Short mmCIF file of all heavy atoms in Angstrom, two decimals:
data_model
loop_
_atom_site.label_atom_id
_atom_site.label_comp_id
_atom_site.label_asym_id
_atom_site.label_seq_id
_atom_site.Cartn_x
_atom_site.Cartn_y
_atom_site.Cartn_z
N SER A 1 200.19 139.67 114.06
CA SER A 1 199.18 138.61 114.16
C SER A 1 197.83 139.18 113.71
O SER A 1 197.63 140.39 113.71
CB SER A 1 199.08 138.12 115.61
OG SER A 1 198.59 139.16 116.43
N PRO A 2 196.88 138.30 113.33
CA PRO A 2 195.58 138.79 112.86
C PRO A 2 194.86 139.67 113.88
O PRO A 2 194.12 140.56 113.50
CB PRO A 2 194.79 137.51 112.60
CG PRO A 2 195.84 136.48 112.36
CD PRO A 2 196.98 136.86 113.24
N GLU A 3 195.10 139.41 115.19
CA GLU A 3 194.40 140.17 116.22
C GLU A 3 195.09 141.49 116.53
O GLU A 3 194.59 142.30 117.29
CB GLU A 3 194.32 139.35 117.52
CG GLU A 3 193.56 138.03 117.38
CD GLU A 3 194.45 136.90 116.93
OE1 GLU A 3 195.64 137.15 116.62
OE2 GLU A 3 193.97 135.76 116.88
N GLN A 4 196.28 141.72 115.96
CA GLN A 4 197.07 142.89 116.32
C GLN A 4 196.42 144.17 115.80
O GLN A 4 195.94 144.21 114.67
CB GLN A 4 198.47 142.78 115.72
CG GLN A 4 199.48 143.72 116.35
CD GLN A 4 199.80 143.32 117.76
OE1 GLN A 4 199.97 142.15 118.05
NE2 GLN A 4 199.88 144.29 118.64
N GLU A 5 196.38 145.18 116.63
CA GLU A 5 195.83 146.46 116.18
C GLU A 5 196.73 147.02 115.08
O GLU A 5 197.94 147.11 115.23
CB GLU A 5 195.79 147.45 117.35
CG GLU A 5 194.77 147.11 118.42
CD GLU A 5 194.74 148.18 119.50
OE1 GLU A 5 194.85 149.37 119.16
OE2 GLU A 5 194.64 147.81 120.67
N ALA A 6 196.11 147.46 114.00
CA ALA A 6 196.89 148.00 112.88
C ALA A 6 197.64 149.26 113.29
O ALA A 6 198.67 149.59 112.71
CB ALA A 6 195.97 148.29 111.71
N SER A 7 197.14 149.96 114.30
CA SER A 7 197.76 151.23 114.69
C SER A 7 198.97 151.05 115.59
O SER A 7 199.70 151.99 115.86
CB SER A 7 196.73 152.11 115.43
OG SER A 7 196.28 151.44 116.61
N MET A 8 199.22 149.82 116.06
CA MET A 8 200.33 149.59 116.97
C MET A 8 201.64 149.47 116.21
O MET A 8 201.72 148.80 115.18
CB MET A 8 200.10 148.33 117.80
CG MET A 8 199.01 148.46 118.82
SD MET A 8 198.94 147.05 119.92
CE MET A 8 200.38 147.35 120.95
N THR A 9 202.65 150.16 116.71
CA THR A 9 203.96 150.09 116.08
C THR A 9 204.72 148.88 116.59
O THR A 9 204.35 148.26 117.59
CB THR A 9 204.77 151.35 116.40
OG1 THR A 9 205.04 151.38 117.81
CG2 THR A 9 204.02 152.61 116.00
N ALA A 10 205.83 148.56 115.89
CA ALA A 10 206.67 147.45 116.33
C ALA A 10 207.18 147.69 117.74
O ALA A 10 207.27 146.78 118.55
CB ALA A 10 207.83 147.27 115.36
N GLN A 11 207.52 148.95 118.04
CA GLN A 11 208.04 149.27 119.37
C GLN A 11 206.99 148.99 120.43
O GLN A 11 207.28 148.42 121.48
CB GLN A 11 208.46 150.74 119.43
CG GLN A 11 209.08 151.12 120.79
CD GLN A 11 209.45 152.59 120.85
OE1 GLN A 11 209.06 153.37 120.00
NE2 GLN A 11 210.21 152.96 121.85
N GLU A 12 205.73 149.35 120.15
CA GLU A 12 204.67 149.12 121.13
C GLU A 12 204.42 147.63 121.33
O GLU A 12 204.13 147.19 122.44
CB GLU A 12 203.39 149.81 120.67
CG GLU A 12 203.44 151.32 120.83
CD GLU A 12 202.21 151.98 120.23
OE1 GLU A 12 201.78 151.58 119.13
OE2 GLU A 12 201.70 152.92 120.86
N MET A 13 204.51 146.86 120.24
CA MET A 13 204.28 145.42 120.35
C MET A 13 205.28 144.76 121.28
O MET A 13 204.96 143.84 122.01
CB MET A 13 204.32 144.77 118.97
CG MET A 13 203.09 145.08 118.13
SD MET A 13 203.02 144.08 116.65
CE MET A 13 204.34 144.78 115.68
N GLU A 14 206.53 145.23 121.25
CA GLU A 14 207.54 144.69 122.15
C GLU A 14 207.46 145.38 123.51
O GLU A 14 207.63 144.76 124.55
CB GLU A 14 208.94 144.91 121.56
CG GLU A 14 210.05 144.48 122.50
CD GLU A 14 211.42 144.85 121.97
OE1 GLU A 14 211.64 144.75 120.76
OE2 GLU A 14 212.26 145.25 122.79
N TYR A 15 207.16 146.67 123.49
CA TYR A 15 207.26 147.51 124.68
C TYR A 15 206.26 147.11 125.76
O TYR A 15 206.63 146.92 126.92
CB TYR A 15 207.04 148.96 124.25
CG TYR A 15 207.08 149.99 125.34
CD1 TYR A 15 208.29 150.37 125.92
CD2 TYR A 15 205.92 150.61 125.79
CE1 TYR A 15 208.33 151.33 126.90
CE2 TYR A 15 205.96 151.57 126.77
CZ TYR A 15 207.16 151.93 127.33
OH TYR A 15 207.20 152.88 128.31
N LEU A 16 204.99 146.98 125.38
CA LEU A 16 203.96 146.76 126.39
C LEU A 16 204.12 145.45 127.15
O LEU A 16 204.07 145.45 128.38
CB LEU A 16 202.58 146.87 125.73
CG LEU A 16 202.22 148.30 125.29
CD1 LEU A 16 200.97 148.28 124.43
CD2 LEU A 16 202.02 149.20 126.49
N PRO A 17 204.32 144.30 126.48
CA PRO A 17 204.54 143.07 127.25
C PRO A 17 205.77 143.14 128.15
O PRO A 17 205.77 142.60 129.25
CB PRO A 17 204.71 141.99 126.17
CG PRO A 17 204.00 142.55 124.98
CD PRO A 17 204.25 144.02 125.04
N ASN A 18 206.82 143.83 127.70
CA ASN A 18 208.01 143.94 128.52
C ASN A 18 207.76 144.82 129.75
O ASN A 18 208.28 144.55 130.83
CB ASN A 18 209.17 144.50 127.71
CG ASN A 18 209.85 143.44 126.87
OD1 ASN A 18 209.79 142.26 127.19
ND2 ASN A 18 210.48 143.84 125.79
N VAL A 19 206.97 145.87 129.60
CA VAL A 19 206.62 146.69 130.76
C VAL A 19 205.80 145.86 131.74
O VAL A 19 206.01 145.92 132.95
CB VAL A 19 205.85 147.95 130.32
CG1 VAL A 19 205.29 148.68 131.55
CG2 VAL A 19 206.75 148.89 129.54
N GLY A 20 204.86 145.08 131.21
CA GLY A 20 204.10 144.18 132.08
C GLY A 20 205.01 143.24 132.82
O GLY A 20 204.83 142.98 134.02
N GLY A 21 206.03 142.73 132.13
CA GLY A 21 207.00 141.85 132.77
C GLY A 21 207.80 142.55 133.86
O GLY A 21 208.16 141.94 134.88
N ALA A 22 208.07 143.83 133.66
CA ALA A 22 208.82 144.59 134.68
C ALA A 22 208.00 144.70 135.96
O ALA A 22 208.53 144.51 137.07
CB ALA A 22 209.18 145.97 134.13
N TYR A 23 206.72 145.03 135.82
CA TYR A 23 205.85 145.09 137.02
C TYR A 23 205.74 143.72 137.68
O TYR A 23 205.78 143.61 138.91
CB TYR A 23 204.47 145.60 136.64
CG TYR A 23 204.36 147.10 136.52
CD1 TYR A 23 204.33 147.71 135.27
CD2 TYR A 23 204.28 147.91 137.64
CE1 TYR A 23 204.23 149.09 135.14
CE2 TYR A 23 204.18 149.29 137.53
CZ TYR A 23 204.15 149.88 136.27
OH TYR A 23 204.05 151.24 136.16
N LEU A 24 205.59 142.68 136.88
CA LEU A 24 205.46 141.33 137.42
C LEU A 24 206.70 140.94 138.23
O LEU A 24 206.59 140.46 139.36
CB LEU A 24 205.25 140.34 136.28
CG LEU A 24 205.35 138.85 136.63
CD1 LEU A 24 204.31 138.45 137.65
CD2 LEU A 24 205.21 137.99 135.36
N ASN A 25 207.86 141.17 137.64
CA ASN A 25 209.09 140.76 138.33
C ASN A 25 209.41 141.63 139.53
O ASN A 25 209.93 141.14 140.53
CB ASN A 25 210.26 140.75 137.33
CG ASN A 25 210.17 139.59 136.36
OD1 ASN A 25 209.93 138.46 136.76
ND2 ASN A 25 210.32 139.86 135.08
N ARG A 26 209.08 142.92 139.44
CA ARG A 26 209.27 143.76 140.63
C ARG A 26 208.32 143.32 141.73
O ARG A 26 208.69 143.30 142.92
CB ARG A 26 209.07 145.23 140.29
CG ARG A 26 209.50 146.14 141.45
CD ARG A 26 209.39 147.61 141.12
NE ARG A 26 208.00 148.07 141.04
CZ ARG A 26 207.65 149.35 140.92
NH1 ARG A 26 208.60 150.30 140.83
NH2 ARG A 26 206.38 149.71 140.86
N GLY A 27 207.11 142.94 141.34
CA GLY A 27 206.16 142.43 142.33
C GLY A 27 206.68 141.19 143.04
O GLY A 27 206.52 141.03 144.25
N ARG A 28 207.31 140.30 142.28
CA ARG A 28 207.88 139.09 142.89
C ARG A 28 208.95 139.46 143.92
O ARG A 28 208.99 138.89 145.02
CB ARG A 28 208.51 138.20 141.83
CG ARG A 28 207.56 137.40 140.99
CD ARG A 28 208.29 136.34 140.19
NE ARG A 28 209.44 136.86 139.46
CZ ARG A 28 210.70 136.79 139.87
NH1 ARG A 28 211.00 136.23 141.04
NH2 ARG A 28 211.68 137.28 139.12
N LEU A 29 209.83 140.40 143.54
CA LEU A 29 210.89 140.81 144.47
C LEU A 29 210.29 141.47 145.71
O LEU A 29 210.75 141.23 146.85
CB LEU A 29 211.85 141.77 143.77
CG LEU A 29 212.74 141.16 142.68
CD1 LEU A 29 213.56 142.24 141.98
CD2 LEU A 29 213.68 140.11 143.27
N LEU A 30 209.28 142.30 145.52
CA LEU A 30 208.63 142.95 146.67
C LEU A 30 207.95 141.93 147.57
O LEU A 30 207.99 142.04 148.80
CB LEU A 30 207.61 143.98 146.17
CG LEU A 30 208.19 145.23 145.51
CD1 LEU A 30 207.09 146.03 144.81
CD2 LEU A 30 208.92 146.10 146.53
N SER A 31 207.33 140.92 146.96
CA SER A 31 206.71 139.86 147.76
C SER A 31 207.75 139.14 148.61
O SER A 31 207.50 138.83 149.79
CB SER A 31 206.01 138.86 146.83
OG SER A 31 205.49 137.77 147.56
N GLY A 32 208.91 138.88 148.01
CA GLY A 32 209.99 138.22 148.74
C GLY A 32 210.52 139.06 149.89
O GLY A 32 211.08 138.52 150.85
N GLN A 33 210.32 140.38 149.81
CA GLN A 33 210.73 141.29 150.88
C GLN A 33 209.62 141.50 151.91
O GLN A 33 209.78 142.29 152.84
CB GLN A 33 211.13 142.64 150.28
CG GLN A 33 212.36 142.58 149.38
CD GLN A 33 212.61 143.89 148.63
OE1 GLN A 33 211.86 144.86 148.78
NE2 GLN A 33 213.67 143.93 147.84
N GLY A 34 208.50 140.80 151.72
CA GLY A 34 207.39 140.92 152.66
C GLY A 34 206.48 142.10 152.39
O GLY A 34 205.61 142.41 153.21
N GLN A 35 206.65 142.77 151.26
CA GLN A 35 205.83 143.94 150.93
C GLN A 35 204.65 143.49 150.05
O GLN A 35 204.59 143.78 148.85
CB GLN A 35 206.66 144.99 150.22
CG GLN A 35 207.85 145.49 151.04
CD GLN A 35 208.62 146.58 150.31
OE1 GLN A 35 208.06 147.60 149.91
NE2 GLN A 35 209.93 146.39 150.15
N SER A 36 203.70 142.80 150.66
CA SER A 36 202.61 142.18 149.92
C SER A 36 201.71 143.19 149.22
O SER A 36 201.29 142.97 148.08
CB SER A 36 201.78 141.28 150.84
OG SER A 36 200.77 140.63 150.13
N ASP A 37 201.37 144.28 149.89
CA ASP A 37 200.48 145.27 149.28
C ASP A 37 201.12 145.88 148.03
O ASP A 37 200.45 146.04 147.00
CB ASP A 37 200.14 146.38 150.28
CG ASP A 37 199.21 145.89 151.39
OD1 ASP A 37 198.60 144.81 151.23
OD2 ASP A 37 199.10 146.59 152.41
N ALA A 38 202.39 146.23 148.14
CA ALA A 38 203.10 146.80 146.98
C ALA A 38 203.21 145.77 145.86
O ALA A 38 203.08 146.11 144.67
CB ALA A 38 204.50 147.28 147.40
N ALA A 39 203.43 144.52 146.24
CA ALA A 39 203.52 143.44 145.25
C ALA A 39 202.18 143.29 144.52
O ALA A 39 202.15 143.17 143.28
CB ALA A 39 203.90 142.12 145.92
#
């Protein structure tokens, strides 16, 4: 995309949003377990 950093590789473009998704989904599971601070 026009806003994409030229230095970012294809792997990084996929990698970073997916890592963010991993934290988000783990946070949801932790919230469901009552671990609000960790979430």
Side-chain angles (χ1 to χ4, degrees):
S1 66
E3 299 87 354
Q4 197 70 42
E5 291 183 39
S7 61
M8 290 188 74
T9 65
Q11 183 182 13
E12 287 174 318
M13 287 190 289
E14 175 186 322
Y15 179 74
L16 291 169
N18 279 335
V19 171
Y23 278 103
L24 169 61
N25 287 313
R26 190 176 71 172
R28 284 193 310 98
L29 290 175
L30 290 169
S31 175
Q33 295 171 0
Q35 301 182 55
S36 182
D37 289 344

